[in-house]
Amino acid sequence: MGKAIVIGGGIIGLSSAYYLQQSGWGVTLLDKDDFSDNCSYGNAGYVCPSHFIPLATPGIVTQGLKWMWNSRSPFYVEPRLNAALISWGLKFMKSATAKHVAESAIPLRDIALLSQQLYEEWTTIPGFDFAYEKKGLLEMFQTEANEEHSHHVAEEAKKLGLEAVMLSKEEVQAMEPQVELNIRGALYFKCDAHLYPQKLMKGLLNILQQKSVQLIPQQEVTGFEMSNDQIKSVISNKQRYDADMVVIATGSWSREMAAKLGLNLPLMPGRGYSVTLEDSPFTFNHPAVLQEGRVAITPMDRNKIRFGGTMEITSIKTPPRYKRVEGILNAVERFVPQFKIPMPSQENIWYGYRPCSADGLPYIGKIKSNAIIATGHAMIGLSVGAGTGKLVAEIANGETPSVDINPYNPKRFS
């Protein structure tokens, strides 16, 4: 097959390297850091076909304008005069229509179901335990408005063939008997699963090493050597790498990487935060989204529990706003009054940058004759990680992709 260079050591890069190697490519994986700290580690760990509604919705624009000035709010856009942000924001608002939401449902469902099937296959690989559990996802609500919205989402989910049921407060309480819940009820997606991201990433890195994939840390890609429409080599701050195929899976840094290849990719970093209790005194049985607080609770790997959330459209250079973690913990306590969690020290707070496309659909496809980009997954990067990696390998091999990739065309805004 030849030499494939994958740039980016998150779940998309690792999955792409895995499926490229499986199909006969010699793979070198470059990471600007040391593979141990990226957005794939601190997320909620959801594998969620239920997330078929894109980030760009009519409601988020209205709500976002109200939340914009509140640094503790779930969705926050840092106001600044930045051409890329303004361009992205205008495209985002233009995309946020009911028609776009309806058209996005099938492409988001399809890649998530493909990915879930592949994660389930991975659970059969000897020695690869990433605490995968298919317990579903509870979307808990406190208000009548969100109860009504959940009824509508449940109907849409059923049309898409996804198993979703509305539950009363009593039914949810019976599923979580250890704590008292302050809710009206929940939408229960039986189709969802979750896993422990740290175990997934470390296990996948081990498998790639066993399969002789070259993992090279501290490689900041500075440019490409081109011949017509083809990349001949990838140039890093330390070395030059000859390439027959190049995969750009650089997450929130992908806009700058695409620009080196002449593509204007509307993409902004969306910072999220999480707190993980490693030996949790609190027990929760099922992953849950607290709708009004836009916070995720995930029980992980036996006695761990993770609280995460917020979407902060900001610059990668902006220092973290730790007050946003107060917003997460306050929301948890509003839904689960027994979960009184003190504000952790800064070193115990994780934050990372999710790559947000301008319409809530990922960018997956060729941008040069031998260059594929895979980014823009926002909050579902881990969920659709395995599926994206599989699609990257299929595109590289000239095979018919497992799902229709036209909606993910990276040049759709060009």
PDB file of all heavy atoms in Angstrom, residues 55 75 88 92 251-252 255 265-271 311-313 353-363 375-379 412:
ATOM      1  N   LEU A  55     -24.669  20.413  16.784  1.00  0.00           N
ATOM      2  CA  LEU A  55     -24.470  21.569  17.671  1.00  0.00           C
ATOM      3  C   LEU A  55     -25.192  22.799  17.122  1.00  0.00           C
ATOM      4  O   LEU A  55     -25.731  23.606  17.882  1.00  0.00           O
ATOM      5  CB  LEU A  55     -22.958  21.841  17.805  1.00  0.00           C
ATOM      6  CG  LEU A  55     -22.531  22.911  18.805  1.00  0.00           C
ATOM      7  CD1 LEU A  55     -22.960  22.552  20.220  1.00  0.00           C
ATOM      8  CD2 LEU A  55     -21.023  23.124  18.753  1.00  0.00           C
ATOM      9  N   PHE A  75     -22.859  27.311  27.569  1.00  0.00           N
ATOM     10  CA  PHE A  75     -22.378  27.614  26.209  1.00  0.00           C
ATOM     11  C   PHE A  75     -21.916  29.064  26.210  1.00  0.00           C
ATOM     12  O   PHE A  75     -22.697  29.972  26.481  1.00  0.00           O
ATOM     13  CB  PHE A  75     -23.510  27.415  25.196  1.00  0.00           C
ATOM     14  CG  PHE A  75     -23.082  27.594  23.754  1.00  0.00           C
ATOM     15  CD1 PHE A  75     -22.398  26.584  23.089  1.00  0.00           C
ATOM     16  CD2 PHE A  75     -23.357  28.762  23.062  1.00  0.00           C
ATOM     17  CE1 PHE A  75     -21.998  26.740  21.763  1.00  0.00           C
ATOM     18  CE2 PHE A  75     -22.960  28.927  21.733  1.00  0.00           C
ATOM     19  CZ  PHE A  75     -22.279  27.904  21.088  1.00  0.00           C
ATOM     20  N   TRP A  88     -16.639  31.909  11.121  1.00  0.00           N
ATOM     21  CA  TRP A  88     -17.229  30.662  11.646  1.00  0.00           C
ATOM     22  C   TRP A  88     -18.615  30.954  12.227  1.00  0.00           C
ATOM     23  O   TRP A  88     -19.574  30.232  11.968  1.00  0.00           O
ATOM     24  CB  TRP A  88     -16.310  30.074  12.721  1.00  0.00           C
ATOM     25  CG  TRP A  88     -16.826  28.843  13.384  1.00  0.00           C
ATOM     26  CD1 TRP A  88     -16.629  27.541  12.998  1.00  0.00           C
ATOM     27  CD2 TRP A  88     -17.632  28.771  14.589  1.00  0.00           C
ATOM     28  NE1 TRP A  88     -17.257  26.678  13.870  1.00  0.00           N
ATOM     29  CE2 TRP A  88     -17.878  27.398  14.846  1.00  0.00           C
ATOM     30  CE3 TRP A  88     -18.157  29.718  15.450  1.00  0.00           C
ATOM     31  CZ2 TRP A  88     -18.621  26.969  15.938  1.00  0.00           C
ATOM     32  CZ3 TRP A  88     -18.915  29.299  16.539  1.00  0.00           C
ATOM     33  CH2 TRP A  88     -19.134  27.932  16.771  1.00  0.00           C
ATOM     34  N   PHE A  92     -22.093  29.370  11.212  1.00  0.00           N
ATOM     35  CA  PHE A  92     -22.803  28.602  12.247  1.00  0.00           C
ATOM     36  C   PHE A  92     -24.257  29.072  12.325  1.00  0.00           C
ATOM     37  O   PHE A  92     -25.191  28.260  12.303  1.00  0.00           O
ATOM     38  CB  PHE A  92     -22.093  28.787  13.592  1.00  0.00           C
ATOM     39  CG  PHE A  92     -22.648  27.949  14.714  1.00  0.00           C
ATOM     40  CD1 PHE A  92     -22.137  26.683  14.972  1.00  0.00           C
ATOM     41  CD2 PHE A  92     -23.667  28.423  15.526  1.00  0.00           C
ATOM     42  CE1 PHE A  92     -22.645  25.906  16.018  1.00  0.00           C
ATOM     43  CE2 PHE A  92     -24.180  27.664  16.572  1.00  0.00           C
ATOM     44  CZ  PHE A  92     -23.667  26.400  16.807  1.00  0.00           C
ATOM     45  N   GLY A 251      -7.532  17.617  15.341  1.00  0.00           N
ATOM     46  CA  GLY A 251      -8.527  18.199  16.238  1.00  0.00           C
ATOM     47  C   GLY A 251      -8.681  19.697  16.076  1.00  0.00           C
ATOM     48  O   GLY A 251      -8.841  20.210  14.965  1.00  0.00           O
ATOM     49  N   SER A 252      -8.594  20.408  17.198  1.00  0.00           N
ATOM     50  CA  SER A 252      -8.831  21.856  17.187  1.00  0.00           C
ATOM     51  C   SER A 252      -7.730  22.655  16.496  1.00  0.00           C
ATOM     52  O   SER A 252      -7.862  23.862  16.319  1.00  0.00           O
ATOM     53  CB  SER A 252      -9.011  22.358  18.624  1.00  0.00           C
ATOM     54  OG  SER A 252     -10.236  21.880  19.135  1.00  0.00           O
ATOM     55  N   ARG A 255      -7.711  23.683  11.567  1.00  0.00           N
ATOM     56  CA  ARG A 255      -7.920  24.819  10.661  1.00  0.00           C
ATOM     57  C   ARG A 255      -6.572  25.331  10.147  1.00  0.00           C
ATOM     58  O   ARG A 255      -6.391  25.549   8.947  1.00  0.00           O
ATOM     59  CB  ARG A 255      -8.684  25.942  11.373  1.00  0.00           C
ATOM     60  CG  ARG A 255      -8.864  27.194  10.531  1.00  0.00           C
ATOM     61  CD  ARG A 255      -9.871  28.150  11.164  1.00  0.00           C
ATOM     62  NE  ARG A 255      -9.557  28.469  12.534  1.00  0.00           N
ATOM     63  CZ  ARG A 255      -8.712  29.436  12.920  1.00  0.00           C
ATOM     64  NH1 ARG A 255      -8.075  30.166  12.026  1.00  0.00           N
ATOM     65  NH2 ARG A 255      -8.500  29.672  14.192  1.00  0.00           N
ATOM     66  N   LEU A 265     -10.872  26.047   6.297  1.00  0.00           N
ATOM     67  CA  LEU A 265     -11.756  25.125   7.019  1.00  0.00           C
ATOM     68  C   LEU A 265     -12.411  25.866   8.180  1.00  0.00           C
ATOM     69  O   LEU A 265     -11.724  26.227   9.143  1.00  0.00           O
ATOM     70  CB  LEU A 265     -10.932  23.939   7.537  1.00  0.00           C
ATOM     71  CG  LEU A 265     -11.696  22.718   8.030  1.00  0.00           C
ATOM     72  CD1 LEU A 265     -12.278  21.939   6.852  1.00  0.00           C
ATOM     73  CD2 LEU A 265     -10.787  21.814   8.858  1.00  0.00           C
ATOM     74  N   PRO A 266     -13.726  26.103   8.132  1.00  0.00           N
ATOM     75  CA  PRO A 266     -14.379  26.808   9.251  1.00  0.00           C
ATOM     76  C   PRO A 266     -14.429  25.893  10.483  1.00  0.00           C
ATOM     77  O   PRO A 266     -15.201  24.940  10.537  1.00  0.00           O
ATOM     78  CB  PRO A 266     -15.787  27.107   8.731  1.00  0.00           C
ATOM     79  CG  PRO A 266     -15.772  26.772   7.272  1.00  0.00           C
ATOM     80  CD  PRO A 266     -14.683  25.778   7.073  1.00  0.00           C
ATOM     81  N   LEU A 267     -13.585  26.192  11.461  1.00  0.00           N
ATOM     82  CA  LEU A 267     -13.459  25.331  12.635  1.00  0.00           C
ATOM     83  C   LEU A 267     -12.980  26.177  13.807  1.00  0.00           C
ATOM     84  O   LEU A 267     -12.057  26.967  13.661  1.00  0.00           O
ATOM     85  CB  LEU A 267     -12.435  24.222  12.342  1.00  0.00           C
ATOM     86  CG  LEU A 267     -12.282  23.183  13.442  1.00  0.00           C
ATOM     87  CD1 LEU A 267     -12.793  21.828  12.937  1.00  0.00           C
ATOM     88  CD2 LEU A 267     -10.839  23.020  13.859  1.00  0.00           C
ATOM     89  N   MET A 268     -13.612  26.001  14.959  1.00  0.00           N
ATOM     90  CA  MET A 268     -13.171  26.722  16.158  1.00  0.00           C
ATOM     91  C   MET A 268     -13.031  25.744  17.326  1.00  0.00           C
ATOM     92  O   MET A 268     -13.771  24.758  17.407  1.00  0.00           O
ATOM     93  CB  MET A 268     -14.191  27.807  16.547  1.00  0.00           C
ATOM     94  CG  MET A 268     -14.263  28.987  15.600  1.00  0.00           C
ATOM     95  SD  MET A 268     -12.698  29.786  15.222  1.00  0.00           S
ATOM     96  CE  MET A 268     -12.344  30.661  16.686  1.00  0.00           C
ATOM     97  N   PRO A 269     -12.083  26.022  18.236  1.00  0.00           N
ATOM     98  CA  PRO A 269     -11.959  25.173  19.422  1.00  0.00           C
ATOM     99  C   PRO A 269     -13.097  25.453  20.403  1.00  0.00           C
ATOM    100  O   PRO A 269     -13.419  26.607  20.664  1.00  0.00           O
ATOM    101  CB  PRO A 269     -10.617  25.616  20.035  1.00  0.00           C
ATOM    102  CG  PRO A 269     -10.019  26.609  19.096  1.00  0.00           C
ATOM    103  CD  PRO A 269     -11.099  27.101  18.200  1.00  0.00           C
ATOM    104  N   GLY A 270     -13.691  24.400  20.926  1.00  0.00           N
ATOM    105  CA  GLY A 270     -14.714  24.531  21.961  1.00  0.00           C
ATOM    106  C   GLY A 270     -14.207  23.865  23.222  1.00  0.00           C
ATOM    107  O   GLY A 270     -14.133  22.638  23.294  1.00  0.00           O
ATOM    108  N   ARG A 271     -13.827  24.673  24.195  1.00  0.00           N
ATOM    109  CA  ARG A 271     -13.192  24.096  25.386  1.00  0.00           C
ATOM    110  C   ARG A 271     -14.225  23.491  26.324  1.00  0.00           C
ATOM    111  O   ARG A 271     -15.283  24.073  26.583  1.00  0.00           O
ATOM    112  CB  ARG A 271     -12.385  25.182  26.108  1.00  0.00           C
ATOM    113  CG  ARG A 271     -11.549  24.650  27.255  1.00  0.00           C
ATOM    114  CD  ARG A 271     -10.405  25.596  27.614  1.00  0.00           C
ATOM    115  NE  ARG A 271     -10.841  26.951  27.887  1.00  0.00           N
ATOM    116  CZ  ARG A 271      -9.999  27.990  27.979  1.00  0.00           C
ATOM    117  NH1 ARG A 271      -8.699  27.808  27.803  1.00  0.00           N
ATOM    118  NH2 ARG A 271     -10.457  29.195  28.244  1.00  0.00           N
ATOM    119  N   MET A 311     -19.358  24.304  26.836  1.00  0.00           N
ATOM    120  CA  MET A 311     -18.803  24.519  25.495  1.00  0.00           C
ATOM    121  C   MET A 311     -18.403  25.985  25.449  1.00  0.00           C
ATOM    122  O   MET A 311     -19.251  26.879  25.507  1.00  0.00           O
ATOM    123  CB  MET A 311     -19.842  24.199  24.421  1.00  0.00           C
ATOM    124  CG  MET A 311     -19.371  24.476  23.011  1.00  0.00           C
ATOM    125  SD  MET A 311     -17.949  23.492  22.512  1.00  0.00           S
ATOM    126  CE  MET A 311     -18.750  21.998  21.963  1.00  0.00           C
ATOM    127  N   GLU A 312     -17.098  26.200  25.418  1.00  0.00           N
ATOM    128  CA  GLU A 312     -16.547  27.551  25.478  1.00  0.00           C
ATOM    129  C   GLU A 312     -15.791  27.810  24.178  1.00  0.00           C
ATOM    130  O   GLU A 312     -14.703  27.278  23.972  1.00  0.00           O
ATOM    131  CB  GLU A 312     -15.615  27.622  26.690  1.00  0.00           C
ATOM    132  CG  GLU A 312     -14.994  28.951  26.957  1.00  0.00           C
ATOM    133  CD  GLU A 312     -14.014  28.882  28.130  1.00  0.00           C
ATOM    134  OE1 GLU A 312     -13.641  27.784  28.577  1.00  0.00           O
ATOM    135  OE2 GLU A 312     -13.611  29.952  28.575  1.00  0.00           O
ATOM    136  N   ILE A 313     -16.422  28.555  23.272  1.00  0.00           N
ATOM    137  CA  ILE A 313     -15.782  28.860  21.993  1.00  0.00           C
ATOM    138  C   ILE A 313     -14.766  29.966  22.256  1.00  0.00           C
ATOM    139  O   ILE A 313     -15.119  31.112  22.524  1.00  0.00           O
ATOM    140  CB  ILE A 313     -16.821  29.307  20.931  1.00  0.00           C
ATOM    141  CG1 ILE A 313     -17.930  28.258  20.771  1.00  0.00           C
ATOM    142  CG2 ILE A 313     -16.130  29.594  19.593  1.00  0.00           C
ATOM    143  CD1 ILE A 313     -17.500  26.914  20.247  1.00  0.00           C
ATOM    144  N   TYR A 353      -9.851  20.797  24.195  1.00  0.00           N
ATOM    145  CA  TYR A 353     -10.468  21.571  23.108  1.00  0.00           C
ATOM    146  C   TYR A 353     -11.132  20.655  22.093  1.00  0.00           C
ATOM    147  O   TYR A 353     -10.474  19.823  21.478  1.00  0.00           O
ATOM    148  CB  TYR A 353      -9.407  22.425  22.410  1.00  0.00           C
ATOM    149  CG  TYR A 353      -8.776  23.427  23.334  1.00  0.00           C
ATOM    150  CD1 TYR A 353      -7.629  23.104  24.053  1.00  0.00           C
ATOM    151  CD2 TYR A 353      -9.346  24.682  23.510  1.00  0.00           C
ATOM    152  CE1 TYR A 353      -7.056  24.028  24.917  1.00  0.00           C
ATOM    153  CE2 TYR A 353      -8.780  25.600  24.370  1.00  0.00           C
ATOM    154  CZ  TYR A 353      -7.636  25.271  25.078  1.00  0.00           C
ATOM    155  OH  TYR A 353      -7.073  26.174  25.944  1.00  0.00           O
ATOM    156  N   ARG A 354     -12.443  20.824  21.928  1.00  0.00           N
ATOM    157  CA  ARG A 354     -13.159  20.033  20.934  1.00  0.00           C
ATOM    158  C   ARG A 354     -13.201  20.817  19.625  1.00  0.00           C
ATOM    159  O   ARG A 354     -13.530  22.004  19.623  1.00  0.00           O
ATOM    160  CB  ARG A 354     -14.584  19.764  21.402  1.00  0.00           C
ATOM    161  CG  ARG A 354     -14.712  19.304  22.853  1.00  0.00           C
ATOM    162  CD  ARG A 354     -16.190  19.175  23.138  1.00  0.00           C
ATOM    163  NE  ARG A 354     -16.504  18.968  24.525  1.00  0.00           N
ATOM    164  CZ  ARG A 354     -16.896  19.940  25.357  1.00  0.00           C
ATOM    165  NH1 ARG A 354     -16.959  21.194  24.932  1.00  0.00           N
ATOM    166  NH2 ARG A 354     -17.230  19.658  26.598  1.00  0.00           N
ATOM    167  N   PRO A 355     -12.930  20.154  18.508  1.00  0.00           N
ATOM    168  CA  PRO A 355     -12.958  20.860  17.231  1.00  0.00           C
ATOM    169  C   PRO A 355     -14.394  20.996  16.714  1.00  0.00           C
ATOM    170  O   PRO A 355     -15.044  20.006  16.394  1.00  0.00           O
ATOM    171  CB  PRO A 355     -12.119  19.964  16.311  1.00  0.00           C
ATOM    172  CG  PRO A 355     -12.259  18.593  16.906  1.00  0.00           C
ATOM    173  CD  PRO A 355     -12.508  18.747  18.373  1.00  0.00           C
ATOM    174  N   CYS A 356     -14.881  22.232  16.650  1.00  0.00           N
ATOM    175  CA  CYS A 356     -16.277  22.470  16.275  1.00  0.00           C
ATOM    176  C   CYS A 356     -16.372  22.965  14.838  1.00  0.00           C
ATOM    177  O   CYS A 356     -15.861  24.043  14.514  1.00  0.00           O
ATOM    178  CB  CYS A 356     -16.905  23.500  17.209  1.00  0.00           C
ATOM    179  SG  CYS A 356     -16.892  22.970  18.933  1.00  0.00           S
ATOM    180  N   SER A 357     -17.036  22.201  13.995  1.00  0.00           N
ATOM    181  CA  SER A 357     -17.283  22.637  12.616  1.00  0.00           C
ATOM    182  C   SER A 357     -18.349  23.729  12.645  1.00  0.00           C
ATOM    183  O   SER A 357     -18.974  23.980  13.680  1.00  0.00           O
ATOM    184  CB  SER A 357     -17.750  21.457  11.764  1.00  0.00           C
ATOM    185  OG  SER A 357     -19.067  21.086  12.140  1.00  0.00           O
ATOM    186  N   ALA A 358     -18.571  24.354  11.501  1.00  0.00           N
ATOM    187  CA  ALA A 358     -19.535  25.464  11.450  1.00  0.00           C
ATOM    188  C   ALA A 358     -20.980  24.993  11.337  1.00  0.00           C
ATOM    189  O   ALA A 358     -21.897  25.812  11.411  1.00  0.00           O
ATOM    190  CB  ALA A 358     -19.194  26.394  10.289  1.00  0.00           C
ATOM    191  N   ASP A 359     -21.204  23.683  11.168  1.00  0.00           N
ATOM    192  CA  ASP A 359     -22.593  23.214  11.050  1.00  0.00           C
ATOM    193  C   ASP A 359     -22.891  21.988  11.919  1.00  0.00           C
ATOM    194  O   ASP A 359     -23.972  21.426  11.841  1.00  0.00           O
ATOM    195  CB  ASP A 359     -22.939  22.919   9.579  1.00  0.00           C
ATOM    196  CG  ASP A 359     -22.058  21.834   8.968  1.00  0.00           C
ATOM    197  OD1 ASP A 359     -21.172  21.296   9.673  1.00  0.00           O
ATOM    198  OD2 ASP A 359     -22.239  21.529   7.768  1.00  0.00           O
ATOM    199  N   GLY A 360     -21.919  21.585  12.748  1.00  0.00           N
ATOM    200  CA  GLY A 360     -22.166  20.459  13.651  1.00  0.00           C
ATOM    201  C   GLY A 360     -21.942  19.093  13.041  1.00  0.00           C
ATOM    202  O   GLY A 360     -22.136  18.078  13.712  1.00  0.00           O
ATOM    203  N   LEU A 361     -21.542  19.032  11.766  1.00  0.00           N
ATOM    204  CA  LEU A 361     -21.176  17.750  11.145  1.00  0.00           C
ATOM    205  C   LEU A 361     -19.662  17.698  11.015  1.00  0.00           C
ATOM    206  O   LEU A 361     -19.017  18.725  10.780  1.00  0.00           O
ATOM    207  CB  LEU A 361     -21.804  17.627   9.751  1.00  0.00           C
ATOM    208  CG  LEU A 361     -23.306  17.372   9.696  1.00  0.00           C
ATOM    209  CD1 LEU A 361     -23.813  17.527   8.264  1.00  0.00           C
ATOM    210  CD2 LEU A 361     -23.649  15.988  10.220  1.00  0.00           C
ATOM    211  N   PRO A 362     -19.068  16.507  11.155  1.00  0.00           N
ATOM    212  CA  PRO A 362     -17.607  16.437  11.031  1.00  0.00           C
ATOM    213  C   PRO A 362     -17.133  16.710   9.607  1.00  0.00           C
ATOM    214  O   PRO A 362     -17.924  16.707   8.663  1.00  0.00           O
ATOM    215  CB  PRO A 362     -17.287  14.996  11.444  1.00  0.00           C
ATOM    216  CG  PRO A 362     -18.541  14.232  11.245  1.00  0.00           C
ATOM    217  CD  PRO A 362     -19.669  15.199  11.450  1.00  0.00           C
ATOM    218  N   TYR A 363     -15.851  16.952   9.478  1.00  0.00           N
ATOM    219  CA  TYR A 363     -15.187  17.067   8.181  1.00  0.00           C
ATOM    220  C   TYR A 363     -14.383  15.782   7.965  1.00  0.00           C
ATOM    221  O   TYR A 363     -13.409  15.538   8.687  1.00  0.00           O
ATOM    222  CB  TYR A 363     -14.218  18.253   8.157  1.00  0.00           C
ATOM    223  CG  TYR A 363     -14.833  19.610   8.398  1.00  0.00           C
ATOM    224  CD1 TYR A 363     -14.419  20.414   9.461  1.00  0.00           C
ATOM    225  CD2 TYR A 363     -15.805  20.118   7.533  1.00  0.00           C
ATOM    226  CE1 TYR A 363     -14.960  21.681   9.663  1.00  0.00           C
ATOM    227  CE2 TYR A 363     -16.356  21.386   7.737  1.00  0.00           C
ATOM    228  CZ  TYR A 363     -15.931  22.165   8.810  1.00  0.00           C
ATOM    229  OH  TYR A 363     -16.469  23.416   9.007  1.00  0.00           O
ATOM    230  N   THR A 375     -11.812  15.647  11.136  1.00  0.00           N
ATOM    231  CA  THR A 375     -11.871  16.543  12.293  1.00  0.00           C
ATOM    232  C   THR A 375     -13.271  17.139  12.394  1.00  0.00           C
ATOM    233  O   THR A 375     -14.173  16.747  11.656  1.00  0.00           O
ATOM    234  CB  THR A 375     -10.801  17.658  12.153  1.00  0.00           C
ATOM    235  OG1 THR A 375     -10.774  18.418  13.368  1.00  0.00           O
ATOM    236  CG2 THR A 375     -11.088  18.583  10.980  1.00  0.00           C
ATOM    237  N   GLY A 376     -13.455  18.078  13.327  1.00  0.00           N
ATOM    238  CA  GLY A 376     -14.727  18.809  13.417  1.00  0.00           C
ATOM    239  C   GLY A 376     -15.842  18.045  14.095  1.00  0.00           C
ATOM    240  O   GLY A 376     -17.008  18.327  13.889  1.00  0.00           O
ATOM    241  N   HIS A 377     -15.475  17.082  14.968  1.00  0.00           N
ATOM    242  CA  HIS A 377     -16.497  16.218  15.577  1.00  0.00           C
ATOM    243  C   HIS A 377     -17.152  16.832  16.815  1.00  0.00           C
ATOM    244  O   HIS A 377     -18.053  16.220  17.394  1.00  0.00           O
ATOM    245  CB  HIS A 377     -15.882  14.871  15.965  1.00  0.00           C
ATOM    246  CG  HIS A 377     -15.347  14.081  14.807  1.00  0.00           C
ATOM    247  ND1 HIS A 377     -14.129  14.354  14.222  1.00  0.00           N
ATOM    248  CD2 HIS A 377     -15.856  13.025  14.131  1.00  0.00           C
ATOM    249  CE1 HIS A 377     -13.912  13.489  13.236  1.00  0.00           C
ATOM    250  NE2 HIS A 377     -14.947  12.679  13.158  1.00  0.00           N
ATOM    251  N   ALA A 378     -16.679  18.013  17.247  1.00  0.00           N
ATOM    252  CA  ALA A 378     -17.225  18.676  18.443  1.00  0.00           C
ATOM    253  C   ALA A 378     -17.268  17.701  19.625  1.00  0.00           C
ATOM    254  O   ALA A 378     -16.253  17.117  19.961  1.00  0.00           O
ATOM    255  CB  ALA A 378     -18.589  19.294  18.151  1.00  0.00           C
ATOM    256  N   MET A 379     -18.459  17.477  20.196  1.00  0.00           N
ATOM    257  CA  MET A 379     -18.536  16.687  21.423  1.00  0.00           C
ATOM    258  C   MET A 379     -18.698  15.182  21.183  1.00  0.00           C
ATOM    259  O   MET A 379     -18.838  14.423  22.135  1.00  0.00           O
ATOM    260  CB  MET A 379     -19.690  17.191  22.283  1.00  0.00           C
ATOM    261  CG  MET A 379     -19.453  18.618  22.740  1.00  0.00           C
ATOM    262  SD  MET A 379     -20.479  19.143  24.106  1.00  0.00           S
ATOM    263  CE  MET A 379     -22.038  19.420  23.321  1.00  0.00           C
ATOM    264  N   ARG A 412     -17.241  21.600   1.865  1.00  0.00           N
ATOM    265  CA  ARG A 412     -18.631  22.028   1.668  1.00  0.00           C
ATOM    266  C   ARG A 412     -18.840  23.529   1.877  1.00  0.00           C
ATOM    267  O   ARG A 412     -19.836  24.076   1.419  1.00  0.00           O
ATOM    268  CB  ARG A 412     -19.582  21.218   2.547  1.00  0.00           C
ATOM    269  CG  ARG A 412     -19.380  21.341   4.052  1.00  0.00           C
ATOM    270  CD  ARG A 412     -20.318  20.383   4.796  1.00  0.00           C
ATOM    271  NE  ARG A 412     -20.175  20.413   6.242  1.00  0.00           N
ATOM    272  CZ  ARG A 412     -19.361  19.616   6.929  1.00  0.00           C
ATOM    273  NH1 ARG A 412     -18.596  18.738   6.305  1.00  0.00           N
ATOM    274  NH2 ARG A 412     -19.304  19.703   8.256  1.00  0.00           N
TER     275      ARG A 412
END
